C-alpha cells in the first residue's frame, strides 16, 4: 500500500516523494495499478476498472485518512467517546483500502499470465485441500454468489494450521477479521461497483469470468512467503 506522511504546513523539499508530515501521523495514498485500465478486458471492462480505482478506492482512502486525523486529535485531547465513535469509520474505510490494494494485485492481463493456473507449492496445496482447482473455483463462486449484500470472497492461508481456507467477509471487513492467523492469498470484490456496469445484477457471470484474469503467480508468492 502506498504510504505518505502529512505535515502541518510544508512539503519537505528534500524528499524525492514529496513526503508530507502532520504531527508524525502516517496516512495513505492511492496505489498505482500495475496495468492499464483496459488491460483486463473482456473479463473486466476498462470503464469499471477506472471507476473502481479512481473513485471507489480513492474514496475509501480519503475517508480513512480523515478518520485517522480525527482519531489523532481525539487521542491528543483525551476524548474517549470520540475515539470509540471513530472505530467503525476506520474499520470500514481502512478495510476498503486494504482489500482493494490486494485486489489489484490479484488480477493480471492475460498476456502477463492472468488466468494461468497456480503452480508448485500453491497448486499442490489446492489439490490437497480441495481436490482440484476446479473444485476450489466452484466453491468460491458459489459462496460469492450467495453472499447477501456487499462483501468479499477470499482464499486465505491459516498460518497456524498451515491450511487453505475459503471465507467471506461482509462490507469492507478484511480477512483478518475472521481470524488473526489468516493471510489473504486472493480476494474477489463482490460489491456491485466491481461489476454492475458490465454484468448488471448477474454476479455469477462476473465471478465466472474474473478467473480468466486471476493472478495466481502473486497468490503463489504470498503462499510461499507465509508457508515456506
Amino acid at each position: 500500500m502506498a504510504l505518505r506522511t502529512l505535515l502541518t504546513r510544508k512539503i519537505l523539499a528534500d524528499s524525492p516523494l514529496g513526503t508530507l508530515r502532520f504531527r508524525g501521523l502516517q496516512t495513505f495514498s492511492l496505489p498505482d495499478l500495475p496495468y492499464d485500465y483496459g488491460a483486463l478486458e473482456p473479463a473486466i471492462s476498462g470503464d469499471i476498472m477506472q471507476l473502481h480505482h479512481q473513485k471507489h478506492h480513492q474514496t475509501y482512502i480519503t475517508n480513512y485518512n480523515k478518520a485517522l486525523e480525527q482519531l489523532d486529535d481525539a487521542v491528543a485531547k483525551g476524548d474517549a467517546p470520540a475515539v470509540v465513535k471513530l472505530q467503525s469509520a476506520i474499520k470500514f474505510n481502512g478495510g476498503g483500502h486494504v482489500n482493494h490494494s490486494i485486489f489489484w494485485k490479484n488480477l493480471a492481463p492475460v498476456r502477463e499470465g492472468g488466468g494461468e493456473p497456480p503452480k508448485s507449492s500453491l497448486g499442490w496445496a489446492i489439490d490437497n485441500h480441495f481436490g482440484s482447482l476446479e473444485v476450489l473455483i466452484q466453491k468460491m463462486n458459489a459462496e460469492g454468489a450467495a453472499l447477501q449484500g456487499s462483501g468479499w470472497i477470499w482464499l486465505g492461508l491459516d498460518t497456524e494450521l498451515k491450511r487453505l481456507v475459503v471465507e467471506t467477509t461482509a462490507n469492507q471487513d478484511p480477512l483478518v477479521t475472521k481470524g488473526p492467523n489468516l493471510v489473504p492469498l486472493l480476494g474477489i470484490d463482490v460489491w456491485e461497483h466491481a461489476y454492475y456496469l458490465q454484468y448488471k445484477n448477474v454476479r455469477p457471470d462476473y465471478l465466472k469470468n474474473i478467473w480468466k484474469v486471476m493472478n495466481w503467480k502473486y497468490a503463489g508468492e504470498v503462499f510461499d512467503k507465509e508457508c515456506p
Side-chain angles (χ1 to χ4, degrees), residues 108-126:
V110 172
R111 64 177 180 272
E112 297 176 12
E116 292 183 5
K119 302 174 183 178
S120 301
S121 301
L122 179 57
W124 298 330
I126 289 172

Side-chain angles (χ1 to χ4, degrees), residues 3-139:
L3 184 65
R4 64 187 174 89
T5 311
L6 293 181
L7 189 46
T8 12
R9 293 188 178 85
K10 65 178 181 177
I11 297 176
L12 296 182
D14 58 344
S15 170
L17 299 179
T19 303
L20 297 174
R21 292 179 183 169
F22 179 75
R23 295 197 303 273
L25 175 66
Q26 292 181 332
T27 56
F28 298 87
S29 59
L30 185 67
D32 294 331
L33 293 186
Y35 38 77
D36 294 334
Y37 288 126
L40 303 181
E41 292 183 345
I44 305 177
S45 74
D47 287 343
I48 285 179
M49 291 299 296
Q50 185 170 4
L51 179 66
H52 200 170
H53 180 249
Q54 291 186 354
K55 300 299 182 180
H56 291 280
H57 191 174
Q58 181 61 66
T59 297
Y60 294 126
I61 290 171
T62 299
N63 291 334
Y64 186 34
N65 288 338
K66 180 180 178 181
L68 289 174
E69 292 176 19
Q70 292 174 338
L71 177 65
D72 187 59
D73 289 337
V75 170
K77 295 174 182 176
D79 187 348
V83 170
V84 173
K85 184 178 179 180
L86 286 164
Q87 298 309 305
S88 60
I90 290 172
K91 179 183 179 183
F92 179 78
N93 293 292
H97 179 41
V98 169
N99 292 347
H100 283 87
S101 296
I102 296 169
F103 184 58
W104 309 134
K105 295 176 182 178
N106 284 156
L107 305 174
V110 172
R111 64 177 180 272
E112 297 176 12
E116 292 183 5
K119 302 174 183 178
S120 301
S121 301
L122 179 57
W124 298 330
I126 289 172
D127 288 343
N128 288 335
H129 287 102
F130 301 103
S132 68
L133 177 61
E134 291 71 24
V135 172
L136 169 63
I137 291 174
Q138 291 173 5
K139 178 178 177 62

Side-chain angles (χ1 to χ4, degrees), residues 162-177:
K162 303 298 183 182
R163 64 185 304 272
L164 299 176
V165 297
V166 171
E167 293 280 358
T168 59
T169 57
N171 301 314
Q172 290 297 346
D173 290 357
L175 180 59
V176 71
T177 59

Side-chain angles (χ1 to χ4, degrees), residues 1 12 29 42 56 58 116 140 157 170 173 185 205 209 222:
M1 285 171 281
L12 296 182
S29 59
H56 291 280
Q58 181 61 66
E116 292 183 5
M140 292 186 68
L157 171 67
D173 290 357
L185 302 180
D205 285 354
N209 287 324
V222 177

Side-chain angles (χ1 to χ4, degrees), residues 203-220:
R203 186 190 289 177
D205 285 354
Y206 159 71
L207 290 169
K208 176 183 177 181
N209 287 324
I210 198 171
W211 297 101
K212 298 175 181 177
V213 290
M214 194 62 69
N215 188 0
W216 285 106
K217 180 180 178 182
Y218 171 78

Side-chain angles (χ1 to χ4, degrees), residues 140-161:
M140 292 186 68
N141 284 356
E143 295 195 19
L147 181 64
Q148 295 184 356
S150 301
W152 293 74
I153 176 73
W154 300 95
L155 173 65
L157 171 67
D158 187 321
T159 57
E160 182 177 15
L161 299 178

